[in-house]
Amino acid sequence: MAHPELNALLDALVPFAQRRLAERRAFFPFGGSVQADGRIEPTMAATDSEHPKSTNLIELLTLGFREADRAGQIRAAGLCCDVRTVP
């Protein structure tokens, strides 16, 4: 069983991804974190491009989560990416 804070983070991220898929059939990578005080904070990477590469957004989000972790600002982080697989 996952830690309750991880479940809360997942419960915050997945519905947003599902809505985006239903509305637009795709979404840019995004994430969220459990702050040091327990709050869930959604996170999106900002770029100058209207159509940024997903890999760049994933890298920005990952770097931001790592920095926040090193600073003791977050207890957990999650990243959502729209991927397609071939069975």
Side-chain angles (χ1 to χ4, degrees):
M1 175 181 254
H3 190 280
E5 287 182 337
L6 296 178
N7 285 334
L9 181 58
L10 187 64
D11 289 344
L13 297 177
V14 171
F16 181 76
Q18 289 173 325
R19 280 193 311 274
R20 287 304 215 192
L21 287 173
E23 294 168 0
R24 299 184 181 183
R25 301 174 71 166
F27 61 85
F28 289 116
F30 70 95
S33 59
V34 178
Q35 301 296 296
D37 63 4
R39 286 180 303 110
I40 303 294
E41 186 74 28
T43 307
M44 298 184 93
T47 69
D48 293 338
S49 174
E50 189 174 322
H51 299 286
K53 292 176 75 172
S54 290
T55 53
N56 293 347
L57 296 175
I58 292 167
E59 184 176 345
L60 287 170
L61 289 163
T62 301
L63 289 172
F65 289 142
R66 285 182 180 157
E67 288 176 17
D69 177 54
R70 280 190 218 109
Q73 298 170 335
I74 63 172
R75 298 195 292 225
L79 182 62
C80 291
C81 307
D82 182 12
V83 297
R84 290 181 174 60
T85 61
V86 177

